Amino acid sequence: MCLAIPGKIVELAPDHQAQLGTVEVTGVRRKVDLGLLQDDMPVIGDWVLIHVGFAMTKISEQDAMEQMDLLRMLGEAELAVEEVRGYGLEDNGDHKIERAGAS
Amino acid sequence: MTESVAPIVRFRDPQIEMAHGAGGKASRRLVEGLFAPLLYENPGGLLGDAARVKIDGASVAITTDSFVVKPLKFPGGSIGELAVNGTMNDLAVSGARGQAMVVTFVLEEGLPTSVLEEEIRAMSAALRRAGVAMVGGDTKVVERGKADGMYITTTGIGSIMPQVNIDTQSIRPGDKILLSGPIGDHGITILLARGELDLEADLSSDTRCVLPLIEAIAEEAGPGIRWMRDPTRGGVATSLNELARDCRLGIVLSEEKIPMRDEVRGACELLGLDPLHIANEGQFLAVVAPEYADAALNALHQTEGGEDALIIGDVQTEPACAVLVTTRYGGSRIVDMLVGDPLPRIC
Amino acid sequence: MRYVDEFRDPELITKASDEIHRLADTGKHYRIMEVCGGHTHAIYRFGLKDVLPSNIELIHGPGCPVCVLPMGRIDDGLAVARNADVIFTAFGDMMRVPGAHGSPLEHKARGTDVRIVYSPADALQIARKNPDKHVMFFAIGFETTAPSTALTLMRAKAEGIENFSIFCNHVTIVPAIRAILDSPDMRLDAFIGPGHVSTVIGCRPYEWIARNEGKPVVTSGFEPLDLLQSIVMLLRQLHAGEARVENQYKRVVPWEGNRAALKAMAEVFQLRPYFEWRGLGFISQSALKIRDEYAKWDAEQRFPIPNTRVTDPKAAQCGEVLKGVLKPAQCKLFGKECTPEHPIGALMVSSEGSCAAYYNYEHRKAAAMVTSISSVA
């Protein structure tokens, strides 16, 4: 149920009725049925998620990149906030307050 | 370390199933539970994949293997080549140099002569490459519908290399696990060649005679070689599990070090197979004492066909009798012997 | 991008883990359920428990379609297969699942024509190639897999292939989650929502969990970074006292789901009034059956079905483990009578089942570490 693999479309069936394509996953090629993507058919070069021989969705490179950016920034926002908190400029009920001038 | 006697495994399965030939747990149960207690004796001792026999004071190694492959021909080889290389390799990893072979053919009625001739030619070429003579054989024919075309059995006899002394009891924590090259090529090639799973990839079987490589490490690191095995059916996981149980120590592998071609990785991912359970026909594993590990690797790297050899792990006290694979992400998992045939999965 | 390795970056894993440690309130004990069997497997495979603080407990949910299939259904399917002209096809996952009279593989050894397929389309192809035989596909899976079965049936109908049928065991995930939440012995704080089911049904179907039950849900991918990021998102919500559905697996899960897939399912399937789930009992409107327009391809209408009901052995506690009430090791049969080699229940034979995952990843390690004498034959 859960084993779905990202693969790149490298070929499309010449007959569009057939809704078939070929995906490649690190050098291995398999025909996949594109029928579930008929509302927004992929083109060659698109990445799709494959499950039991059917393409389930297209993979959005943009969303993937955004996610990587978010992951890279993890912890940075908090570090920045803590630094600022140390200056005693914030009064946040959840955390210890450092008053300006206190040692 | 406390010694304990291995429990006697009795074979209680009511009938033979495909799993009993897959090289994993079921196969082991059959051999240890039925054949060994009733049929096998080992006065000369086991050499691993071969047996030592003393004849008039001289020790020789002897081994046999049967080849049942569908399809008969596949990218990179055919059943005939497997039959020659497989037996030579069983002798080689037992520290023996194959000197002569005999062969039996079980042929299916209706097999085209052209197919048979191709296999004979392939065997002849493999014998020449391996430097061994086929000194005789036997042939039987069975009715149409049996034997999948042909079954081949080869029996090989060889001289024992003096530099090598294989002894699982000499294995110590700290010993290194050496692998000769990328895994999974053969098994995945066969799977794809069957055409049932509609996958295509640029892959070929890795079938070859590994004797030259074994001779190279025997020469340079002989005293440090404790154990060798060719991971055929059941893959690296099965061979190393057998080792772990025999020496009662743990084998710890580093997942990121285990070499495999992208296509093998991709096929395994697509199908949900574990590459460690996939058959290889041209690779070997060795346990080498740490002080000899560099010499062994150098010897291989300088021998044709050995360039990809590397250390993939080592022997440790724990987990005893098991094989552990550590991932770079901090997780680790026990890799067991193959239970039945490797099954593709969707979940 | 290959969409795999990037999401396994060890540095980022450490960052995510640090953030989780920072967010988790040491005074609290968090109980988070991952619904999907694939998530269970990923958690073990990548050793994610080792990078989480000890006060976050991950509870395995019932999202393993092999595990929740009652034994009787396998017997029913195999009863059809025993007809001489029938070729029984199923995914590899089903092959070792024990029925009352053996697993599909054991039936194969006794002469039944049993074949593994990777796709329902492969089963249809076998039907095309064997016009004098009948090919039955034993279909399992949640909404991830059901659309592919549906599309295959539509293709069979369009081509007029009559020697093909489906034995349909597709189930739906939301009723299972509801059954968990209705269970009196369950206390959960949040959900790691299904990843691939959501590519089909989208995220809306989980909104009631947040709105009515007050539990945050984050639909998650399957790579280590996906799961860790999802836990970060859940902790942030819990911290802020919020309960919403969020989509961590954006690169693949559309909020509204896959319309074409839902349409195919609606064309071919309808909901059964009720269906028996292993361990969870009868749940209404939780499974799919084939519509009358496709009756010709419904194995349950073409063949006599014995309707076998097999109860799990009393000692087996598959149900409680499925619901997350018991940990696998707490089942009395775990590791003794029930092992991956001799499975009593499907949770031990399915690679996604929590018992199998626990056995392979945790139990063997623990057992091997404790004694140096162990010699498991």
Side-chain angles (χ1 to χ4, degrees):
Chain A
M1 166 193 125
C2 288
L3 202 64
I5 310 290
K8 188 158 81 157
I9 303 269
V10 293
E11 247 179 67
L12 288 169
D15 164 20
H16 280 283
Q17 285 274 49
Q19 296 178 334
L20 289 174
T22 304
V23 285
E24 192 176 281
V25 177
T26 54
V28 182
R29 282 173 298 286
R30 152 117 200 167
K31 280 207 181 49
V32 289
D33 194 316
L34 303 173
L36 298 175
L37 300 183
Q38 50 189 272
D39 289 348
D40 183 16
M41 286 292 258
V43 298
I44 293 184
D46 276 347
W47 281 77
V48 294
L49 194 69
I50 308 148
H51 174 71
V52 303
F54 286 74
M56 305 296 299
T57 65
K58 285 199 226 175
I59 306 182
S60 158
E61 186 174 5
Q62 171 133 5
D63 283 328
M65 303 263 213
E66 277 174 24
Q67 183 189 355
M68 293 308 297
D69 285 338
L70 278 175
L71 285 164
R72 281 186 204 109
M73 290 193 314
L74 266 183
E76 285 176 17
E78 276 64 32
L79 281 175
V81 168
E82 270 170 28
E83 215 181 283
V84 170
R85 218 171 267 138
Y87 303 152
L89 300 172
E90 268 193 26
D91 187 0
N92 186 326
D94 276 356
H95 302 271
K96 287 208 192 94
I97 303 158
E98 223 161 72
R99 295 225 167 74
S103 51
Chain B
M1 213 185 348
T2 337
E3 292 294 322
S4 86
V5 179
I8 297 169
V9 180
R10 276 186 237 282
F11 186 71
R12 290 206 172 92
D13 303 27
Q15 60 181 10
I16 297 302
E17 294 171 16
M18 292 303 291
H20 294 118
K25 278 188 187 169
S27 297
R28 192 168 158 107
R29 252 196 343 262
L30 175 62
V31 170
E32 291 179 3
L34 185 62
F35 297 155
L38 299 183
L39 197 61
Y40 294 158
E41 304 180 16
N42 275 309
L46 264 182
L47 291 171
D49 280 344
R52 184 200 302 268
V53 173
K54 277 209 171 67
I55 302 177
D56 292 341
S59 272
V60 292
I62 185 167
T63 192
T64 189
D65 209 341
S66 49
F67 298 87
V68 169
V69 154
K70 207 167 29 169
L72 297 177
K73 268 177 83 77
F74 40 84
S78 64
I79 188 174
E81 281 175 70
L82 289 185
V84 170
N85 293 333
T87 290
M88 284 300 284
N89 291 345
D90 279 347
L91 286 170
V93 298
S94 306
R97 199 173 275 118
Q99 303 286 13
M101 286 170 78
V102 288
V103 59
T104 58
F105 293 100
V106 174
L107 304 174
E108 182 181 349
E109 177 188 23
L111 177 72
T113 306
S114 53
V115 171
L116 180 59
E117 187 175 329
E118 267 192 78
E119 287 315 314
I120 304 303
R121 287 190 189 281
M123 287 177 81
S124 175
L127 289 163
R128 250 177 290 124
R129 275 195 300 270
V132 68
M134 186 71 76
V135 300
D138 182 62
T139 306
K140 294 286 181 291
V141 180
V142 293
E143 284 161 21
R144 198 176 294 266
K146 309 196 200 264
D148 288 330
M150 73 174 87
Y151 297 149
I152 305 180
T153 302
T154 47
T155 301
I157 191 164
S159 53
I160 296 173
M161 290 182 228
Q163 310 97 316
V164 179
N165 180 26
I166 294 185
D167 179 11
T168 47
Q169 298 316 306
S170 67
I171 296 180
R172 300 274 172 273
D175 285 347
K176 302 291 177 201
I177 312 287
L178 185 152
L179 173 62
S180 57
I183 63 170
D185 286 6
H186 178 78
I188 298 296
T189 298
I190 298 291
L191 205 56
L192 301 191
R194 288 213 185 109
E196 291 158 14
L197 291 167
D198 211 8
L199 294 180
E200 270 171 39
D202 206 0
L203 267 182
S204 350
S205 169
D206 58 350
T207 179
R208 62 174 174 172
C209 173
V210 298
L211 180 59
L213 298 174
I214 305 284
E215 284 178 317
I217 54 170
E219 188 65 39
E220 301 299 326
I225 301 174
R226 314 259 201 241
W227 173 93
M228 293 188 286
R229 183 64 53 91
D230 59 339
T232 51
R233 278 192 188 181
V236 165
T238 301
S239 299
L240 290 178
N241 266 283
E242 286 174 354
L243 171 67
R245 279 159 212 219
D246 286 344
C247 70
R248 303 208 187 301
L249 291 167
I251 310 281
V252 180
L253 306 179
S254 184
E255 185 157 64
E256 55 177 352
K257 292 226 169 80
I258 297 170
M260 71 187 88
R261 294 186 207 286
D262 281 343
E263 290 88 344
V264 169
R265 195 187 301 274
C268 286
E269 267 184 40
L270 267 171
L271 297 171
L273 294 171
D274 187 344
L276 291 172
H277 285 140
I278 308 291
N280 309 278
E281 289 288 336
Q283 306 300 339
F284 68 91
L285 289 158
V287 172
V288 182
E291 59 272 21
Y292 284 93
D294 284 336
L297 275 181
N298 283 333
L300 287 174
H301 291 160
Q302 290 177 18
T303 309
E304 191 184 330
E307 303 85 356
D308 294 331
L310 78 171
I311 305 288
I312 57 169
D314 56 7
V315 177
Q316 297 183 13
T317 44
E318 284 163 356
C321 302
V323 177
L324 190 73
V325 175
T326 59
T327 74
R328 61 203 277 243
Y329 319 108
S332 63
R333 60 194 173 102
I334 295 275
V335 175
D336 214 341
M337 265 187 188
L338 200 49
V339 175
D341 277 311
L343 294 175
R345 56 185 189 93
I346 64 135
C347 280
Chain C
M1 252 210 177
R2 238 223 79 197
Y3 301 106
V4 173
D5 299 324
E6 300 85 356
F7 297 99
R8 298 182 185 183
D9 183 328
E11 262 183 57
L12 292 179
I13 288 178
T14 308
K15 262 197 170 179
S17 163
D18 288 344
E19 180 71 358
I20 291 172
H21 276 83
R22 203 192 64 82
L23 282 169
D25 183 341
T26 46
K28 286 205 175 90
H29 182 83
Y30 300 92
R31 289 168 61 89
I32 299 177
M33 173 173 276
E34 89 276 356
V35 177
C36 186
H39 283 144
T40 307
H41 194 234
I43 286 165
Y44 279 113
R45 180 177 169 206
F46 296 110
L48 291 181
K49 289 191 176 182
D50 296 338
V51 304
L52 293 175
S54 52
N55 61 332
I56 293 187
E57 191 186 341
L58 293 177
I59 314 234
H60 310 314
C64 162
V66 175
C67 304
V68 299
L69 189 69
M71 213 193 272
R73 293 291 286 176
I74 302 161
D75 290 305
D76 284 350
L78 289 169
V80 174
R82 280 196 281 276
N83 287 302
D85 299 326
V86 172
I87 302 176
F88 177 97
T89 57
F91 298 135
D93 312 62
M94 282 306 305
M95 288 296 151
R96 274 201 278 271
V97 177
H101 303 291
S103 66
L105 267 187
E106 283 166 344
H107 275 74
K108 182 173 155 95
R110 285 181 230 138
T112 310
D113 194 340
V114 169
R115 303 195 200 179
I116 299 174
V117 292
Y118 165 71
S119 165
D122 292 345
L124 186 59
Q125 181 67 344
I126 296 177
R128 286 189 197 99
K129 288 194 172 150
N130 292 274
D132 51 337
K133 300 253 177 168
H134 181 92
V135 176
M136 187 191 81
F137 177 63
F138 190 89
I140 56 159
F142 287 92
E143 293 97 326
T144 328
T145 321
S148 304
T149 305
L151 211 52
T152 303
L153 270 180
M154 288 162 69
R155 300 209 189 293
K157 188 176 191 198
E159 281 179 56
I161 299 174
E162 310 228 324
N163 61 325
F164 180 69
S165 67
I166 306 271
F167 188 81
C168 182
N169 302 290
H170 286 302
V171 282
T172 53
I173 195 72
V174 168
I177 301 177
R178 203 167 256 131
I180 300 282
L181 284 168
D182 286 343
S183 184
D185 22 12
M186 254 294 104
R187 184 186 78 73
L188 293 170
D189 298 309
F191 286 90
I192 295 176
H196 294 136
V197 165
S198 308
T199 64
V200 173
I201 69 176
C203 300
R204 279 198 195 291
Y206 312 118
E207 283 172 349
W208 63 275
I209 302 173
R211 200 179 43 237
N212 303 359
E213 305 283 333
K215 321 261 182 219
V217 178
V218 173
T219 53
S220 174
F222 294 79
E223 299 301 331
L225 279 177
D226 288 320
L227 285 158
L228 292 177
Q229 188 175 33
S230 301
I231 296 175
V232 167
M233 290 161 76
L234 284 172
L235 286 175
R236 283 192 182 138
Q237 283 198 46
L238 288 170
H239 218 328
E242 287 169 7
R244 288 176 287 123
V245 179
E246 283 188 88
N247 183 8
Q248 182 278 337
Y249 204 12
K250 275 211 192 92
R251 63 188 186 275
V252 147
V253 171
W255 192 270
E256 300 294 335
N258 180 332
R259 210 180 61 100
L262 292 167
K263 219 172 126 200
M265 280 173 64
E267 154 103 12
V268 169
F269 298 121
Q270 63 189 79
L271 280 169
R272 295 179 195 263
Y274 56 83
F275 191 69
E276 185 180 8
W277 290 54
R278 189 168 201 170
L280 297 175
F282 285 90
I283 306 183
S284 59
Q285 313 276 310
S286 64
L288 303 177
K289 81 180 184 90
I290 296 173
R291 281 187 188 280
D292 288 333
E293 294 87 333
Y294 285 84
K296 257 196 264 193
W297 293 273
D298 183 353
E300 287 178 274
Q301 298 206 44
R302 279 183 78 156
F303 296 98
I305 304 291
N307 284 312
T308 327
R309 283 212 66 214
V310 183
T311 42
D312 281 325
K314 279 207 194 74
Q317 293 167 290
C318 307
E320 280 114 310
V321 178
L322 254 175
K323 282 192 285 196
V325 172
L326 279 187
K327 299 264 182 282
Q330 292 171 302
C331 169
K332 294 186 205 70
L333 303 183
F334 177 86
K336 303 187 205 73
E337 290 89 338
C338 189
T339 63
E341 228 195 309
H342 303 285
I344 305 272
L347 284 84
M348 187 57 91
V349 78
S350 167
S351 41
E352 276 190 340
S354 32
C355 294
Y358 184 77
Y359 190 90
N360 287 317
Y361 288 85
E362 296 293 329
H363 170 77
R364 289 290 313 279
K365 274 192 289 184
M369 303 288 187
V370 161
T371 168
S372 57
I373 301 177
S374 74
S375 176
V376 180

